[in-house]
Amino acid sequence: MYCLPLALPAPLQVQAHNSSRFQSKPKPIRAMRAVVQRVASASVEVEGRTVSEIGPGLLVLVGLHESDSDSDADYICRKVLNMRLFPNESSGRGWDQNVMQRNYEVLLAVSQFTLYGVLKGNKPDFHVAMPPQNAKPFYASLVDSFRKSYKPDAVKDGVFGAMMKVSLVNDGPVTMQIDSQSPKNSNGVVEEQS
């Protein structure tokens, strides 16, 4: 009696081989993160005093990752200011104009390390967020980038390290999340960051 080696048909071999790539753990995000909300108005209060407020525009919560660099800040600044989140009232087209075309304001809520929080059991852990001693000057340079790229008086921010109360009237509501490093598409190719 002869025993022939068991061989799977070619399509099954390919399928088994390809399925292994879906079983690996997802790579953690290593990028600056921004949560952008289109608002009718927004304000930041510290110790009972309003320190910043805007009318129509964008409220931006920024999370700084410990590995962020100037290129991450440049990307977030460019993307936020150019996001077409507003309708064009002249043409009637939605999602047609950015905050600068509408001459609206931007409120950058101070570095939100909680955007990098992960739960360990029921307790949040923020170990991948940029440490405060590095985050403060880095965040200040991000605010400067926004002011240089738009109009200085149209960009407001909060108070770094303070306990803040952020109030907003979300317009839409419209809420978007941006990470400075584009994820890979299904073919494993990094998508263009324009």
Side-chain angles (χ1 to χ4, degrees), residues 26-187:
K27 291 184 179 180
I29 297 292
R30 297 192 189 287
M32 185 179 294
R33 176 170 288 161
V35 175
V36 181
Q37 296 178 296
R38 186 177 76 185
V39 297
S41 63
S43 63
V44 174
E45 182 182 302
V46 176
E47 296 178 359
R49 182 177 63 90
T50 299
V51 295
S52 287
E53 61 185 332
I54 63 169
L58 299 175
L59 170 66
V60 185
L61 307 177
V62 179
L64 303 179
H65 189 275
E66 62 186 355
S67 66
D68 283 343
S69 66
D70 290 340
S71 65
D72 295 291
D74 293 343
Y75 178 82
I76 291 294
C77 178
R78 186 175 71 251
K79 275 296 191 186
V80 168
L81 291 177
N82 288 290
M83 292 175 78
R84 294 189 299 172
L85 299 180
F86 299 94
N88 184 329
E89 293 175 352
S90 301
S91 68
R93 292 173 35 188
W95 312 106
D96 191 48
Q97 293 187 319
N98 62 45
V99 69
M100 297 183 294
Q101 291 169 311
R102 295 299 295 265
N103 202 29
Y104 285 168
E105 296 174 295
V106 177
L107 175 54
L108 295 165
V110 170
S111 180
Q112 302 287 308
F113 66 91
T114 58
L115 290 177
Y116 282 106
V118 292
L119 289 177
K120 290 192 172 181
N122 291 323
K123 184 178 179 183
D125 181 308
F126 310 108
H127 73 279
V128 298
M130 187 177 286
Q133 66 273 18
N134 299 338
K136 187 173 182 176
F138 192 89
Y139 176 76
S141 70
L142 176 67
V143 174
D144 285 343
S145 292
F146 270 86
R147 289 181 172 148
K148 289 175 184 172
S149 299
Y150 187 25
K151 298 184 301 189
D153 59 340
V155 178
K156 312 285 176 63
D157 70 333
V159 178
F160 191 93
M163 196 63 147
M164 295 181 293
K165 293 184 179 178
V166 180
S167 301
L168 69 135
V169 177
N170 200 320
D171 182 16
V174 173
T175 303
M176 305 286 293
Q177 178 178 309
I178 308 169
D179 288 331
S180 61
Q181 295 180 10
S182 293
K184 291 182 178 179
N185 65 24
S186 59
N187 297 324

Side-chain angles (χ1 to χ4, degrees), residues 5-21:
L6 179 62
L8 294 173
L12 292 178
Q13 288 176 340
V14 172
Q15 184 179 13
H17 175 72
N18 287 341
S19 67
S20 65
R21 70 182 171 131

